[in-house]
C-alpha cells in the first residue's frame, strides 16, 4: 500500500507541482498543490565536518491551514496549522567508508565498500550500507537506497545525531552511467575522463563518476500551531511532537483535526518519498538515453532539484493522506484493518468532483431568474391586459378587431360564416366556437378542381289550410 501511495504521489507531484502543471490531472484535492519555499544559503544541518562545502538546502512549507489548504471544513476557532521544514546536504564519504574483500555470499571474491553513518534498527551490522564494486560490469543505471534514522529508533553517528529531527540517508550509485560532459554536482559528480571510440570508430570523450557512492542526508522537522491562541510547537522530530502538541490547548474539534494530520506526518519523512521507488524517483533517471545509460550531462545543482522533488512528493502525500483519512485509501491489501476515525472530521472533508469546481455568482443567477420570470409573466399577460383595456375604453377599436380577425382560426370562422355555415360565438377570442352538434364544410357535390364552401340547402315547407 505504501509503495502504491508513493507512486501515486510522485506522479501527482510531477504533474501538479512546479512551473509546468497539467491542469487535467490536478483536480482531486481542494488545492492543486501546497505552496512552499526554498533557500540555498543555509548552513549544513549536521556537524560541519560531515557535510561537503555545498552547505545546506532548505525547503519550508510555511504554515499550512487545515481549512483553506487541506479542505477540512471548520469554523475559525476549530482550525489547525501545520508546517514541515526539510534541510538537506551532501555528505563526505571518504572519511566514513572502507574497503572489504568478502566471500560470504559467493565463491567469488566480492570487493565491497562499506559506509558507516550509524547503526540501523536491526543492529546486525556495524555499518550502514555496503556497495559491491563488482556491479560495475555490463550496463547498470542508477541505484538509490534510502535509510531513516528517527530519535526513537536507529542510532546515527554523533555527527548526524539530532534529537529535534528525523534523518534520511540516501546512497546513490551511478554504476555504469557515463556522461558526455563533466558533471560538477556534488552528489552526481563525474569528472574522470575516459577516452573511447563509438561504433563508427570516432573518438569520443566520456566522463565517469568520481566515487562509487554519493550520500545525501535530509533532516525533517515538523511544527503545529493553534491559530486561536497563537501557541506553537518548536520545529522538532515526529517522536517529540506529541508531547509538544499537548501544550497548545486545542479544543476537541481541533484535536480531531490534529489526529488526522499526525496520521499524515507518519509518511512525511523524506525516506517515504524515495524508498519504494529507488532510482525511479530521481529526475536524473529521466535523462538517461538508450540501453547503455548515456547521459548528456547534469546541472551543477542537480542534488537540489532532486531534494525539491522529494519535498514536493511529501506535500502530495500530505494531500493524499488527509483525503484518504476521510474516504479510505485508494488501495488496500487483504487483511488490512482500519480503526474508525472521528466521524465529524470525515464529514467535513472537502474535495473536488471529477469535473473540478463549478463556480457561479449567486447574485448573477438571482438576477437572471428574476428578469427571466418577469419576461415570461409579461409575455403571458400583456396581450390579455391590452385587449381588456381596449374593450373597456374603446381605444383604437378598429385596430383591435383587425388584429383579432387576422388570427388563423378567426379567418376560418369568417369563411364559414360567409358561407352560412354554423352559429358562431367568440368572434374576437383566440378560439371561436360553434353551437353543439353543428356540421359544416364542403357541399355534397364539390367542384373537384376548385372546391368552395357552399351554403346549406334547406327544404321548403308549405303550409296549407288543410284543404
Amino acid at each position: 500500500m505504501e509503495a502504491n501511495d508513493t507512486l501515486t504521489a510522485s506522479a501527482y507531484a510531477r504533474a501538479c507541482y512546479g512551473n509546468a502543471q497539467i491542469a487535467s490531472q490536478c483536480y482531486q484535492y481542494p488545492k492543486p498543490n501546497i505552496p512552499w519555499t526554498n533557500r540555498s544559503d543555509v548552513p549544513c544541518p549536521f556537524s560541519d565536518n560531515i557535510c561537503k562545502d555545498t552547505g545546506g538546502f532548505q525547503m519550508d512549507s510555511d504554515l499550512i491551514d487545515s481549512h483553506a489548504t487541506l479542505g477540512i471544513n471548520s469554523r475559525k476557532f476549530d482550525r489547525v496549522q501545520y508546517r514541515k521544514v526539510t534541510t538537506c546536504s551532501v555528505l563526505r564519504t571518504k572519511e566514513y567508508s572502507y574497503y572489504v574483500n568478502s566471500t560470504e555470499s559467493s565463491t567469488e571474491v566480492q570487493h565491497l565498500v562499506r559506509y558507516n553513518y550509524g547503526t540501523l534498527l536491526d543492529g546486525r551490522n556495524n555499518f550502514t550500507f555496503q556497495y559491491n564494486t563488482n556491479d560495475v560490469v555490463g550496463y547498470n543505471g542508477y541505484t538509490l537506497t534510502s535509510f531513516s534514522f528517527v530519535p526513537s529508533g536507529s542510532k546515527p553517528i554523533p555527527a548526524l545525531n539530532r534529537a529535534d529531527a528525523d534523518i534520511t540517508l540516501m546512497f546513490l550509485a551511478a554504476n555504469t552511467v557515463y556522461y558526455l560532459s563533466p558533471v560538477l554536482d556534488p552528489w552526481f559528480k563525474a569528472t574522470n575522463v575516459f577516452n573511447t571510440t563509438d561504433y563508427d570508430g570516432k573518438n569520443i570523450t566520456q566522463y565517469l563518476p568520481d566515487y562509487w557512492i554519493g550520500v545525501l542526508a535530509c533532516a525533517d522537522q515538523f511544527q503545529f500551531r493553534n491559530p486561536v491562541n497563537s501557541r506553537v510547537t518548536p520545529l522538532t522530530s515526529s517522536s517529540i511532537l506529541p508531547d509538544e502538541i499537548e501544550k497548545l490547548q486545542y479544543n476537541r474539534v481541533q484535536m480531531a483535526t490534529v489526529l488526522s494530520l499526525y496520521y499524515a506526518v507518519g509518511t512525511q519523512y523524506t525516506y517515504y518519498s524515495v524508498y519504494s521507488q529507488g532510482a525511479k524517483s530521481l529526475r536524473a533517471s529521466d535523462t538517461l538515453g538508450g540501453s547503455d545509460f548515456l547521459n548528456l550531462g547534469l546541472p551543477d545543482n542537480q542534488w537540489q532539484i532532486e531534494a525539491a522533488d522529494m519535498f514536493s512528493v511529501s506535500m502530495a502525500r500530505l494531500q493524499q493522506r488527509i483525503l484518504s483519512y476521510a474516504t479510505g485509501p485508494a488501495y488496500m491489501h487483504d487483511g488490512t484493518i482500519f480503526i474508525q476515525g472521528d466521524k465529524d472530521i470525515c464529514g467535513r472533508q472537502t474535495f473536488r468532483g471529477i469535473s473540478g469546481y463549478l463556480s457561479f455568482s449567486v447574485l448573477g443567477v438571482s438576477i437572471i431568474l428574476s428578469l427571466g420570470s418577469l419576461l415570461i409573466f409579461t409575455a403571458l399577460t400583456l396581450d390579455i391586459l391590452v385587449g381588456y383595456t381596449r374593450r373597456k375604453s374603446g381605444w383604437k377599436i378598429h385596430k383591435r378587431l383587425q388584429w383579432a380577425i387576422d388570427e388563423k382560426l378567426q379567418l376560418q370562422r369568417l369563411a364559414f360564416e360567409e358561407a352560412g355555415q354554423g352559429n358562431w360565438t367568440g368572434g374576437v377570442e383566440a378560439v371561436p366556437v360553434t353551437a353543439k352538434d353543428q356540421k359544416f364544410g364542403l357541399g355534397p357535390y364539390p367542384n373537384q378542381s376548385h372546391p368552395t364552401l357552399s351554403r346549406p340547402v334547406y327544404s321548403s315547407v308549405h303550409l296549407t289550410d288543410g284543404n
Side-chain angles (χ1 to χ4, degrees):
M1 185 168 66
E2 287 293 341
N4 184 73
D5 288 348
T6 302
L7 182 63
T8 303
S10 179
Y12 186 86
R14 294 200 177 195
C16 306
Y17 283 75
N19 296 326
Q21 297 182 16
I22 305 175
S24 61
Q25 299 182 27
C26 308
Y27 61 82
Q28 62 196 88
Y29 302 119
K31 296 285 186 181
N33 55 57
I34 299 175
W36 56 271
T37 58
N38 67 76
R39 292 177 55 191
S40 56
D41 58 349
V42 298
C44 168
F46 311 105
S47 296
D48 291 338
N49 62 346
I50 198 172
C51 293
K52 291 194 172 183
D53 297 333
T54 54
F57 180 65
Q58 187 174 86
M59 296 147 286
D60 190 341
S61 71
D62 296 317
L63 288 170
I64 301 169
D65 188 82
S66 61
H67 172 85
T69 304
L70 299 179
I72 303 175
N73 192 22
S74 306
R75 295 169 293 184
K76 287 186 177 181
F77 50 81
D78 288 334
R79 299 175 188 178
V80 170
Q81 292 176 327
Y82 163 76
R83 179 186 178 196
K84 179 192 174 185
V85 176
T86 298
T87 310
C88 300
S89 186
V90 181
L91 303 186
R92 300 180 184 275
T93 56
K94 184 177 180 180
E95 300 88 337
Y96 302 93
S97 62
Y98 57 94
Y99 290 84
V100 174
N101 293 327
S102 174
T103 56
E104 291 180 3
S105 58
S106 173
T107 56
E108 180 183 356
V109 176
Q110 305 292 308
H111 302 286
L112 307 175
V113 186
R114 288 179 175 171
Y115 298 83
N116 182 23
Y117 292 97
T119 304
L120 299 179
L121 194 59
D122 56 23
R124 292 180 298 176
N125 300 314
N126 58 357
F127 57 87
T128 310
F129 175 75
Q130 68 178 11
Y131 176 72
N132 189 345
T133 61
N134 293 8
D135 288 343
V136 190
V137 177
Y139 296 102
N140 294 304
Y142 295 116
T143 56
L144 182 66
T145 307
S146 59
F147 300 97
S148 64
F149 293 106
V150 294
S152 59
S154 307
K155 297 180 180 179
I157 58 176
L160 288 176
N161 192 20
R162 288 189 58 172
D164 65 342
D166 299 322
I167 311 301
T168 297
L169 291 183
M170 289 162 281
F171 295 85
L172 171 68
N175 297 315
T176 59
V177 174
Y178 63 92
Y179 306 86
L180 293 183
S181 59
V183 176
L184 301 181
D185 178 86
W187 198 25
F188 291 85
K189 192 172 183 180
T191 59
N192 289 326
V193 177
F194 178 71
N195 294 314
T196 185
T197 57
D198 61 14
Y199 295 111
D200 298 326
K202 182 180 178 180
N203 293 328
I204 58 173
T205 299
Q206 300 175 357
Y207 297 87
L208 305 181
D210 285 25
Y211 26 74
W212 299 113
I213 294 292
V215 182
L216 180 67
C218 294
D220 297 311
Q221 296 178 292
F222 312 97
Q223 186 179 64
F224 277 83
R225 180 178 182 271
N226 187 341
V228 178
N229 56 26
S230 299
R231 290 175 179 263
V232 62
T233 70
L235 282 167
T236 189
S237 65
S238 60
S239 59
I240 296 177
L241 199 57
D243 292 335
E244 297 293 338
I245 288 174
E246 291 183 1
K247 303 174 184 178
L248 301 187
Q249 299 179 351
Y250 284 126
N251 62 38
R252 186 194 66 80
V253 177
Q254 285 179 307
M255 277 307 301
T257 304
V258 169
L259 288 176
S260 66
L261 279 168
Y262 195 74
Y263 164 76
V265 168
T267 58
Q268 287 285 281
Y269 316 146
T270 303
Y271 169 78
Y272 284 102
S273 296
V274 298
Y275 89 102
S276 61
Q277 293 193 89
K280 292 180 181 179
S281 64
L282 295 173
R283 288 296 181 108
S285 293
D286 299 339
T287 66
L288 296 179
S291 59
D292 52 357
F293 300 105
L294 166 69
N295 194 314
L296 297 178
L298 294 171
D300 295 350
N301 67 332
Q302 184 65 33
W303 72 279
Q304 295 178 352
I305 294 173
E306 303 293 353
D309 187 62
M310 296 170 193
F311 193 84
S312 292
V313 172
S314 74
M315 292 294 99
R317 289 212 67 173
L318 173 62
Q319 293 177 287
Q320 181 187 71
R321 277 277 173 149
I322 291 297
L323 183 59
S324 68
Y325 186 85
T327 63
Y331 170 79
M332 295 179 288
H333 58 74
D334 293 340
T336 301
I337 299 175
F338 293 95
I339 300 174
Q340 185 175 3
D342 190 305
K343 289 184 178 180
D344 187 45
I345 289 293
C346 297
R348 291 190 286 111
Q349 179 64 53
T350 62
F351 58 93
R352 295 189 183 190
I354 295 177
S355 58
Y357 278 123
L358 183 62
S359 238
F360 61 89
S361 167
V362 175
L363 176 61
V365 171
S366 300
I367 292 173
I368 291 172
L369 290 175
S370 300
L371 290 178
S373 300
L374 179 61
L375 289 173
I376 293 171
F377 178 77
T378 301
L380 293 175
T381 60
L382 183 61
D383 188 56
I384 298 172
L385 291 173
V386 171
Y388 177 80
T389 303
R390 284 185 171 182
R391 284 196 303 271
K392 291 296 184 181
S393 64
W395 177 63
K396 294 185 178 179
I397 190 67
H398 183 270
K399 287 186 176 181
R400 183 181 72 83
L401 295 175
Q402 190 64 49
W403 178 276
I405 65 174
D406 281 344
E407 293 289 340
K408 183 189 297 183
L409 294 178
Q410 291 293 352
L411 290 173
Q412 186 183 48
R413 174 189 66 78
L414 289 171
F416 282 120
E417 273 192 330
E418 286 301 314
Q421 297 186 25
N423 296 321
W424 294 86
T425 59
V428 291
E429 305 297 334
V431 180
V433 295
T434 63
K436 188 175 181 181
D437 296 330
Q438 288 190 333
K439 297 179 180 181
F440 48 90
L442 295 175
Y445 305 106
N447 186 328
Q448 294 188 11
S449 61
H450 191 84
T452 59
L453 294 174
S454 61
R455 290 181 175 275
V457 178
Y458 300 100
S459 58
S460 298
V461 178
H462 299 280
L463 301 177
T464 65
D465 57 4
N467 296 325

